Structures are given as C-alpha cells and as structure tokens.
Amino acid sequence: MKPRFLRFWMAQVALAPAWLIVIFAYIGTILWTIQISFTSSKVFPVSNYVGFSQYTRLFGSERWIISVQNLAIFGILFIVGCLILGFLLAVFLDQRIRAESVFRTIFLYPYALSFIVTGLVWQWTLNPTLGIQQTVRNWGWESFTFDWLSRGDRAIYVIALAGMWQASGLVMAILLAGLRGVDGELWKAAKVDGIPTWRVYLHIVIPILTPMFVTATVLLATAVVKVYDLVVALTNGGPGISTEVPAKFVIEYLFQRQNLGLATAASTVMMITVLCVLAPWLYVQYFRQPRSAH
Amino acid sequence: MATVSIRDLEIEFGNLKVLRNLDLEIEQGEFIVLLGPSGCGKSTLLNAVAGLLDVSAGQIWIGGKNVTWEEPKNRGIGMVFQSYALYPRMTVTGNLSFGLKMAKVPKDEIDKRVARAAKILQIEPLLDRRPAELSGGQRQRVAIGRALVRDVDVFLFDEPLSNLDAKLRTELRVELKRLHQGLGSTMIYVTHDQIEALTLADRVAVMNGGVIQQLASPKEIYRRPVNRFVAGFVGSPSMNFIDGRLSVEGGVASFELANGKRIDLAGYEFEKPPEHGRPATLGIRPEQVDLEQRDPSSRPIPVNLTLLEPMGADSLVWGDVGGTTFSVRIDGDAHVQTPSATDAFFQPAYASIFDLASGQRL
Amino acid sequence: MASLTANAPVEPSGPRPKRIGPGRYGVYAFLIISALFFLIPLYVMIVTSLKPMDEIRMGNLFALPGSPSFDAWIKAWSQACTGLNCNGIHVGMLNSIKILIPSVILSIAVGSVTGYALSFWRPKGANILFAILLLGAFIPYQVFLYPLVRILSMVSLYNSIPGVVFVHTIFGLPLMTLLFRNFYAGIPIDLFKAARVDGGGFWAIFLRLMLPLSTPIIVVAAILQITGIWNDFLFGLIFAGRENFPMTVQLNNVVNSSFGEKEYNVNMAATILTALVPLFVYFVSGRWFVRGIASGAVKG
C-alpha cells in the first residue's frame, strides 16, 4: 500500500478543480466585487476609494428602495403562499386518492419550466386587453376587471402568483415525501387515542415535518433573492419601475447603466442578507452532530 | 374487566386472505400471546381487534359488546406499538394526556391518571422530557403509560419489545408480567419471540398462514404440540425430526427408522390408536435427549456425533441420525468425544409423533 | 350505530358500512380545482398557439381554435424576429443544445469526483471546501458576475459557448457535489474499506466500484442539470454573446421586444417550443425528477 500522504495526495489532486473554482470563481470574485463597491468605478473599475458612499447612494436611490420593498412583498407572498398551497396539496394527495400520480404530475410540472416561460405564459393569460379580463367580459360580466399587470400598485402580486404557480409543486413534493415518512403506527396510536385527523396534522404531523418546511423555506428564499428572469419576462420591471427587484437592479447597473460601484454595492448587500439568513440553517443542517440517534 | 371474543373472523386484502374463519375466546384478565412467524396474520388480528382495519366477515366482541363497527377509541382498548409511536414533539406528560384531552376528560382527572401511570411505570422523573431524550426502554414505558391512562380493560401489544436490546427486553418482560398481575386486565400480546410467549402467556395462540394452529397453555404447547409446525416453531434449538414409520405388533407400538431399526414407544400417549405401517415423523427436543441412560424407560437411538458447541451452563452436541441433523443438549461439564458413534436416550413419553403427510400429531 | 338503517337493528358483522362523507368529495374538489389552476396556463398556451390572430383578437382566451393550424409554430420556428434578425427560434435551440451537452457532462464529471473525494477520503480541508461550496449554492449570482466577465475576457472566453459552459460548470458544482456526496454517504463505508484492503487506489475505487454503483444518482444529476441549464436565462444572457444566445434569451427577445403588432400565437408557439425539452424530461423521468428535488434538498 502506498504511504499515507500519497493516498491523500491523490484525493487532493482530485479536489483541485473544486478548490480552484472555490478560491478563484467564488471567493476571489466576491472579494473583487466588494473591493469595487468601495470605489467610484463607473464603466471600468478604478482604484479611487470612496468608502461607503456607494452604499449611501444605493439606499438613497428610489429605484433600489422600491426593489427592496418589492422583494419583501414578493418574498413573503411567494414563500407563505407556496408553503400553504404546497402543504394542502401534499395532505390532500396523501388521502389515498385515485389517480394520485396524475395529480402529482400536474402539480409539479411548472417547476420543470423556465421562469421565462412561466413569465410569458402569465403575461399572456393576464393580458388586460385580450386575456382573462376580456374573456370574462365577453361571457357577459361587462364590468369584470383584472388589470393588475398594468397597474403599478398591483403588478408585483401577479409576479408572486406566477411564482407560486411554478414553485408550489416543489413544496408539495418535499412535504409529500415527508408525510410518507411518518411512522404509520403514529396514526394508529392517534386513532386509538381518538384524536381527530385535523388535530393529528396540527399537533403531530406538522411538528414532524418541521425540517422539511425549513428546507422548503430555504429553497424558496434562495429563489426569492435570485428572482430575475421571472420579472424580466412578466413585466420587465414595469409598469414604470414598479416591479423592479434587486437582482435586476444589479444587472442593469452592471451592464446597461454602467455604474459598477453602485451595482457591486447592491450585490454585496444582497449577499450579506442571504448569508445572515443562511448561516444558522447550514450549520444545523450539515455540521451539527445530532443530539441523539434514533 | 372484559372478555374478548372473535367470531368467525375473516380478513382479506384484495384477493389475499390474511385470516380465515378465525374463532378466539379470551377470558377476562387473561394474558393471551399470539405467536407466529412474520406474515402469519397475528398483527392483522390484533389490528382488527383494535378497530384499525376493517374485517371482511365475522364479529368482534369486547366486554360483551359487539364492537365490529365501532371506532377504535370507543372499544375500551389501549394499544402499545413496536415503534412506540410516541408523539415526537410532545413531552412525556403531553404524550400521556393528549388522548384524554381529546376525550374532554376533566383536567384534575387527567393529572390524577397521568400521575398514577407514571408511578406504576416509574417514569415520574421523565415527565418533562421529549421522546428524543429517552432511551428505548423508557420510550416503551411511556408507550405503555399511554395505554394505561386510558383506563381500559383490554390492552393490545404489537411486538412491544422487539426494538429493544436483549437485556432490556428481559427486564421489561418481567415488568409486563408484574403489570398484568397488578392490573388484572385482559391482555393480547403479539410476538414472534417464543421466550416472550412462553414466559408471559396464560395461553398461547400459535398462528401460521392466517389460522390458529394451537391454542393452549405454554406448557401444553411445549409438551404436546398439535402439529409439526408448532413443534418446530416453539423451542430452541428446534426439535429434532426423524422420518420413519409406525409399526404395531402384538399391540406394542414402535417407531421404525429408515434403516429398519425399531424403537419401542412404550409410554407415548397416542391421540388415537396407532396404525401399523403409517409413515410418521418422530420429534424429540434436544433437551430431552441424553447421552447416558438415566431412566429405565429411556430408549436408545443411534447417533453420529460430529460437533460440540459449548454454551456455558450447557452444551449442544450436533450430529445426525441416518443423515438427518440431530442435536442433543447436555450438561456443560459433561465430556463428549466427537466425532463418535453412540446411542442417545430419550423417553417416549416426552416425544412427539406426527403423521408424515399431514404433520398432525398422532 | 347499528340501527342507522331503516330496518330492524342489524347485528354488526363483517365490514363496516361504507360512508362516503362530504369530506371525500371535498378532497377531490380541492384537488381538481388546484389541477385546473396548474393546467390553465398550459391550456391557454396551447390553444393560443393554434389560433390565427383574428380569432385571438376576439378576446376569448379559453375557446378552442376554430380551425387549428400550425402556422404560428412554423413561423416561430423559422421566422420569428429578434430585433432585425428573423431566423426563428430554432437558432436559439441549436445554441441551447450546444451549451447543454458539454455543460451537463462536465458538471457531473467534476461534481461526482468531488463528492467521492469528500465522502470517502476526506483529505485535509475537505470540510472547509464543502462548507464554501454549500454557501456558494445560495449566494446570489450577481456578486460573481462582473469579475467573472473580466476573467473570461482575459482568457478570450467571454461571449463564447465554452465561456457559458465554464460558468455552468462552476455554478453547477455545489449542487452536483452535494448530490454525489449524499449518495456516497449512503453507501456502506465497509464496502470502501474492503476495496482499500483489496488494494484499490483513489481512481480504481472510483472508476471500478463507485461509478458503476452511481447510475441512479447520475440519472438524477442529469435530469436536474438538463432542466436547470436549459432553463437558464441569466448566464446565457451575460456570457454567451449575441451570436450564441440560448433559447430562453431568444424567446424573451422575441416576445418582449418585437416591433410592430404582437403576434401572440407565434409568441405562445415559441414559448411551447422552449418548454418542450424540460417538459419532455419531466414527463419521461417522472419519479426520478421528484427524487432529484428531494436528494438535492434534503440531507442524505
């Protein structure tokens, strides 16, 4: 057998691509981005350090503030909506119903689609002149109005709806797997104890599913921060700037408005927010030793 | 206190008949063990008594009441599960009281019952813990406690000890027996472990293929198994089976080995008069064979001994009789030469003889 | 309970009388309404693509096409315009395929080796590497973009297909590593030890023992990567360059920046065409897709 250091040497060689990616493409680029955010760079990066003034400008920018507000509205509606709808779908699917796999396939297929496709489909379906609104009016309900896509104060809700349409199936799949994993004897015990079904879900099943809910929430939250294509396809930030989101803000200032300093400041803020939310979850999920093995 | 009566019960899953024409009368205060290999229908029977699955035909009576269509909670039963099935995010107190709260039992009554159950099971210091913080034995006590607080007359146990290690299993077995003596409730207990069955039961129902093969006291099951299945399933190591045929000459029955050698069966109680020439199986338990003749009624049987397996207090000697595996349990201090050819001795009164074709006791 | 029937009380015997309560109908009602919610956009997309524009202008979204025709599909495929280019969406599809195949192979190759080394060998620093990779999976891409553009321009890979492939490999690494690491964590360590005792080295164990065992997880990884990379918009937009835009980018350009009158039927046909590949993968893979979601999401 080879000497010990040699065996591990080979493992290190195998990990070299991963290390290179992590060091240069992840850490290196992040540090570079942060560095630029402290300069007055416009079209090209310059070394003129201006402290936190890009960050001050950022939070003075109406466009950014609207973006952050939109992200909050979208995020809460999208996450809560997906969790509730996904949970209900999973529970109802778990009632020994007929054609379960057909329903499951229908609920999950949007998740296989591109956000661009989702955005365009909903843009067309809710098209104020030829979409659902006009269709219902043609049916005889003349005053029916559903023009949220063209209303600055409502369009963000449409984006949340489209997001839910796409991602509820994900929650359903995760929770359904969790429900199937619940010990069948627990249900029997609850039946012998005479506990009504809804109470079993409330007091016994939901607590058991907590880790799945957390996982689903983390996945959804990541999607929220990254949300870009959906907005581009559905509203392109409009009407006006009413549905701008941070990810889009950054791309635009990087590649169209050519304000590197501001864009990198915004992306740094995004990253820090994500890290604050994620760190505890990652720690619990992957690095903490379980308290007691079952 | 309550009797349990199962009448002509049938259960099918799809086209598969899991239980067939099953009748079982359980007296009040009796400890019945349903024993059998996995898939024999013992758990199905227990679940049917609990009302956790629908019967296909027949009736179930508990405490003189027909409960065939009754919900589990209204049957006056408590149940303990193999996986304990404790509600994971509740404390021990929560687990014990949850069902009572649902049944709208007054608060002080709940407290009283929980305290009593905790005292009986000696889990008082654990009341504020969650299941994840308990050991296997403690979890099983809580599971028993959950049945106990329901103040029921019939307890159902579904392999409650099989997830525990050997030492704990022995401890809890004794405790269960004590609990039964203290409460005097009717208990139905499912297991595939024959030691549990023989130690705990007033009567054992040995099941196979959805049918109760034998329902009798542990002693009877061990001594006079009604068929080859029961004989082979109960006892460890398994009973020795030697094929041959019966021979009756001048009113004296003997067992003829394949090589023509005859063994006198004087002392064996036949169920019905033996027929000459009937193909049969002679069954002898390893612990009822000896390598010396200690009793005048003992009969010799020629064996080849090949291997000695010391087990502490006693030893197993393995060999064969005319090619069929044969084992003998002897004193741990005894000396045996292996390999060797010798005579083993057994008393026909303690042996069993089965019909070769049907496996029924003769 | 026994006397619920109109006749004289029946002694309960045999199966409980079946009661199909309103609850049961409620379950199906909920599921069917939900299914409609999920299906309507798909339905609208298909019927719109089969209608001529005259019919669409009548504003009856749900009506079946009077005379279904594939004209819009043909136009979307070969004539749809992005800006002044009117070569149809098939250009994007070819680009997407050119990006997809090397990206999937490369990311799975790197991810499987990394996952293998991390789960069985654990050399020094393995935990740190894994932690950073995990974090990387969740960090918004916006932080990486500009420096990556600069790095890729330095090595002349910016605005090229190899450039996008490289970016997909980089950002596919966390998920791929996680997938394979979790899978290998489920393989008994004794198997690995036995192979070591038999004299297997790093690569021999990987290629001869682990890789043949990995078929299921490779399928899962391929499903996730094919749908993920096909559906990508951001990387294609930024790194591929105008000539190499993948289908999603081209689709968005067709629909959202076309001049003149909007041809909704062509738009929807183009949308369906773009969705075909992931939908095909989804319907063919079925349970594997779900498994992919679960194994990517939950600790193995």
Side-chain angles (χ1 to χ4, degrees):
Chain A
M1 200 183 258
K2 291 176 201 161
R4 189 177 171 77
F5 77 93
L6 219 58
R7 298 197 314 265
F8 282 94
W9 179 76
M10 193 43 87
Q12 292 287 20
V13 168
L15 286 180
W19 273 116
L20 287 175
I21 287 173
V22 158
I23 291 170
F24 291 102
Y26 290 3
I27 299 175
T29 53
I30 288 175
L31 292 179
W32 195 348
T33 296
I34 295 174
Q35 185 244 326
I36 297 174
S37 76
F38 289 109
T39 68
S40 61
S41 306
K42 287 284 187 188
V43 182
F44 294 104
V46 294
S47 314
N48 175 26
Y49 289 94
V50 292
F52 282 91
S53 68
Q54 295 288 14
Y55 292 86
T56 325
R57 267 186 65 202
L58 180 68
F59 282 96
S61 146
E62 194 204 354
R63 195 186 183 91
W64 175 255
I65 299 297
I66 289 179
S67 298
V68 171
Q69 282 169 351
N70 279 335
L71 190 70
I73 298 171
F74 171 78
I76 291 169
L77 287 177
F78 172 73
I79 292 175
V80 173
C82 282
L83 288 180
I84 293 177
L85 184 55
F87 175 70
L88 289 176
L89 291 175
V91 167
F92 281 80
L93 275 183
D94 198 30
Q95 305 301 313
R96 296 182 184 189
I97 53 148
R98 281 162 198 274
E100 183 198 312
S101 66
V102 174
F103 281 114
R104 199 159 21 87
T105 307
I106 291 172
F107 299 154
L108 190 55
Y109 88 88
Y111 191 68
L113 300 177
S114 162
F115 270 125
I116 296 292
V117 170
T118 302
L120 295 179
V121 172
W122 281 96
Q123 186 197 59
W124 166 237
T125 309
L126 297 180
N127 181 313
T129 46
L130 292 172
I132 281 187
Q133 172 173 308
Q134 189 58 40
T135 306
V136 176
R137 284 183 185 178
N138 288 352
W139 286 343
W141 184 356
E142 298 289 343
S143 63
F144 178 82
T145 305
F146 193 78
D147 56 353
W148 289 12
L149 257 189
S150 53
R151 284 178 54 179
D153 57 335
R154 295 284 167 81
I156 189 70
Y157 300 114
V158 174
I159 296 179
L161 177 77
M164 273 175 64
W165 179 79
Q166 170 144 4
S168 293
L170 167 75
V171 180
M172 182 273 300
I174 293 174
L175 293 183
L176 189 60
L179 285 174
R180 296 281 148 88
V182 172
D183 179 9
E185 292 197 332
L186 261 179
W187 278 101
K188 290 185 179 178
K191 222 173 164 199
V192 171
D193 269 352
I195 299 163
T197 310
W198 67 272
R199 275 191 185 275
V200 180
Y201 277 112
L202 196 64
H203 295 290
I204 299 169
V205 174
I206 291 185
I208 293 177
L209 295 184
T210 307
M212 282 86 175
F213 273 108
V214 173
T215 303
T217 309
V218 169
L219 289 178
L220 295 173
T222 326
V224 168
V225 184
K226 286 180 178 171
V227 67
Y228 170 70
D229 355 8
L230 184 60
V231 177
V232 169
L234 193 49
T235 64
N236 204 17
I241 55 167
S242 62
T243 52
E244 288 291 336
V245 285
K248 188 160 175 291
F249 181 97
V250 174
I251 303 285
E252 258 161 44
Y253 277 84
L254 276 183
F255 298 104
Q256 284 149 36
R257 292 164 181 261
Q258 321 246 300
N259 191 336
L260 282 182
L262 193 62
T264 49
S267 58
T268 306
V269 171
M270 285 173 73
M271 179 186 72
I272 290 170
T273 316
V274 171
L275 286 183
C276 291
V277 177
L278 263 184
W281 176 76
L282 280 178
Y283 175 74
V284 171
Q285 184 88 325
Y286 292 94
F287 294 101
R288 199 192 59 169
Q289 296 299 319
R291 238 192 319 181
S292 81
H294 280 260
Chain B
M1 301 303 108
T3 59
V4 176
S5 158
I6 291 145
R7 301 179 186 170
D8 208 15
L9 192 71
E10 277 198 8
I11 291 182
E12 312 172 331
F13 296 141
N15 286 328
L16 184 72
K17 273 203 177 168
V18 185
L19 295 179
R20 273 178 284 191
N21 304 88
L22 195 138
D23 287 285
L24 180 61
E25 295 288 331
I26 300 168
E27 285 163 33
Q28 70 178 38
E30 195 176 19
F31 200 127
I32 286 272
V33 173
L34 307 178
L35 175 69
S38 47
C40 72
K42 56 191 194 299
S43 283
T44 307
L45 176 56
L46 194 76
N47 279 309
V49 174
L52 292 171
L53 49 86
D54 247 8
V55 308
S56 309
Q59 297 176 341
I60 295 167
W61 295 66
I62 295 175
K65 202 174 125 205
N66 185 342
V67 296
T68 313
W69 292 351
E70 202 59 84
E71 285 295 319
K73 60 173 173 163
N74 300 329
R75 292 187 176 206
I77 51 143
M79 190 160 178
V80 179
F81 297 90
Q82 177 177 9
S83 67
Y84 323 124
L86 297 183
Y87 308 137
R89 304 281 163 132
M90 295 183 197
T91 61
V92 170
T93 309
N95 265 282
L96 296 180
S97 57
F98 195 41
L100 300 179
K101 278 188 198 148
M102 290 303 113
K104 304 227 159 46
V105 175
K107 174 108 178 48
D108 48 340
E109 172 70 15
I110 294 180
D111 293 344
K112 222 167 68 191
R113 289 204 210 166
V114 169
R116 176 172 155 264
K119 185 152 186 275
I120 294 176
L121 296 164
Q122 297 164 9
I123 50 174
E124 285 148 313
L126 311 177
L127 284 175
D128 292 327
R129 298 217 198 148
R130 282 160 199 271
E133 302 160 345
L134 301 176
S135 70
Q138 290 168 335
R139 283 181 209 181
Q140 196 48 284
R141 272 170 230 250
V142 177
I144 295 170
R146 195 170 53 188
L148 212 56
V149 292
R150 289 174 54 75
D151 236 2
V152 292
D153 303 324
V154 180
F155 286 83
L156 309 176
F157 295 90
D158 195 355
E159 309 221 13
L161 305 184
S162 55
N163 278 0
L164 299 173
D165 63 50
K167 187 164 172 285
L168 262 175
R169 210 180 302 166
T170 317
E171 274 174 39
L172 268 167
R173 206 169 64 206
V174 175
E175 265 181 60
L176 272 176
K177 185 137 195 171
R178 198 169 289 145
L179 186 72
H180 177 241
Q181 283 168 356
L183 296 172
S185 320
T186 310
M187 294 191 172
I188 309 178
Y189 187 106
V190 163
T191 183
H192 61 264
D193 181 323
Q194 44 169 311
I195 308 288
E196 278 171 33
L198 299 180
T199 50
L200 287 169
D202 294 323
R203 282 193 298 164
V204 179
V206 181
M207 294 183 67
N208 192 34
V211 173
I212 294 182
Q213 306 283 330
Q214 185 170 11
L215 173 65
S217 70
K219 196 172 175 182
E220 178 88 359
I221 298 264
Y222 180 76
R223 277 287 169 80
R224 298 177 59 85
V226 294
N227 57 32
R228 227 188 116 152
F229 173 79
V230 175
F233 190 76
V234 177
S236 173
S238 183
M239 186 184 266
N240 298 305
F241 293 112
I242 301 154
D243 292 346
R245 60 196 185 102
L246 290 181
S247 148
V248 187
E249 275 170 17
V252 180
S254 58
F255 187 83
E256 191 181 315
L257 297 176
N259 62 9
K261 184 173 163 42
R262 286 184 190 174
I263 301 164
D264 181 7
L265 290 179
Y268 181 78
E269 288 174 36
F270 279 97
E271 302 284 311
K272 50 192 175 190
E275 301 162 37
H276 178 74
R278 190 176 188 94
T281 304
L282 173 65
I284 315 171
R285 295 201 182 278
E287 51 273 32
Q288 283 157 355
V289 194
D290 216 322
L291 295 178
E292 296 161 40
Q293 183 162 29
R294 297 180 195 276
D295 191 290
S297 66
S298 292
R299 297 287 168 257
I301 182 166
V303 291
N304 297 311
L305 301 179
T306 49
L307 182 81
L308 179 72
E309 203 181 16
M311 296 167 58
D314 42 33
S315 302
L316 277 179
V317 193
W318 292 90
D320 68 278
V321 172
T324 314
T325 306
F326 194 89
S327 62
V328 181
R329 190 193 289 269
I330 59 168
D331 192 85
D333 296 329
H335 287 283
V336 176
Q337 186 81 39
T338 53
S340 66
T342 180
D343 273 347
F345 296 87
F346 73 101
Q347 289 176 282
Y350 292 102
S352 299
I353 293 168
F354 305 102
D355 184 58
L356 186 68
S358 71
Q360 293 303 310
R361 186 181 188 88
L362 293 175
Chain C
M1 202 169 146
S3 55
L4 281 178
T5 44
N7 303 330
V10 185
E11 190 60 46
S13 174
R16 264 175 247 199
K18 287 269 176 292
R19 284 171 303 168
I20 299 179
R24 207 68 197 147
Y25 292 112
V27 168
Y28 282 102
F30 176 83
L31 287 174
I32 289 168
I33 291 171
S34 305
L36 286 179
F37 168 66
F38 285 100
L39 283 176
I40 279 176
L42 185 65
Y43 171 80
V44 165
M45 185 159 58
I46 293 172
V47 292
T48 304
S49 75
L50 298 173
K51 290 177 190 172
M53 274 309 289
D54 299 342
E55 224 174 294
I56 292 173
R57 276 191 218 99
M58 296 190 325
N60 203 341
L61 198 60
F62 302 119
L64 285 167
S67 49
S69 94
F70 279 94
D71 293 350
W73 287 58
I74 294 162
K75 191 165 180 197
W77 178 253
S78 53
Q79 294 157 36
C81 299
T82 53
L84 295 173
N85 277 332
C86 292
N87 296 324
I89 195 99
H90 80 277
V91 181
M93 181 173 248
L94 289 178
N95 288 337
S96 276
I97 292 171
K98 280 188 238 166
I99 295 170
L100 182 73
I101 292 172
S103 302
V104 170
I105 294 172
L106 208 57
S107 60
I108 292 180
V110 179
S112 61
V113 172
T114 309
Y116 161 70
L118 285 181
S119 54
F120 287 116
W121 295 83
R122 300 177 197 222
K124 237 186 166 77
N127 264 341
I128 299 172
L129 179 65
F130 184 58
I132 302 176
L133 275 177
L134 268 182
L135 276 178
F138 296 103
I139 289 177
Y141 296 133
Q142 280 72 12
V143 199
F144 308 116
L145 290 182
Y146 183 73
L148 273 179
V149 168
R150 293 296 303 264
I151 292 173
L152 288 176
S153 336
M154 274 187 256
V155 294
S156 309
L157 285 177
Y158 185 51
N159 281 348
S160 74
I161 284 184
V164 199
V165 170
F166 180 67
V167 172
H168 277 304
T169 309
I170 289 177
F171 291 111
L173 185 62
L175 180 60
M176 290 300 104
T177 303
L178 183 66
L179 223 54
F180 280 93
R181 177 189 173 269
N182 285 354
F183 179 77
Y184 290 133
I187 289 181
I189 187 81
D190 287 351
L191 191 64
F192 172 70
K193 287 182 185 164
R196 289 284 302 280
V197 172
D198 282 343
F202 184 91
W203 294 108
I205 295 177
F206 179 64
L207 295 173
R208 298 230 223 109
L209 180 65
M210 295 305 168
L211 219 46
L213 287 175
S214 309
T215 320
I217 201 66
I218 292 175
V219 173
V220 165
I223 291 169
L224 286 181
Q225 287 299 81
I226 291 172
T227 50
I229 293 170
W230 189 272
N231 289 338
D232 160 68
F233 176 78
L234 184 63
F235 296 150
L237 177 70
I238 291 173
F239 294 100
R242 193 160 291 276
E243 295 304 307
N244 307 315
F245 274 159
M247 207 170 182
T248 47
V249 177
Q250 209 197 354
L251 171 70
N252 190 53
N253 288 347
V254 166
V255 176
N256 278 335
S257 59
S258 59
F259 299 106
E261 196 204 24
K262 289 212 169 203
E263 294 181 287
Y264 296 108
N265 49 359
V266 176
N267 291 350
M268 284 302 111
T271 310
I272 296 174
L273 286 169
T274 310
L276 276 184
V277 167
L279 278 183
F280 176 78
V281 171
Y282 173 71
F283 284 115
V284 170
S285 62
R287 282 185 175 274
W288 290 87
F289 186 84
V290 178
R291 200 177 145 185
I293 291 175
S295 49
V298 187
K299 154 164 96 164

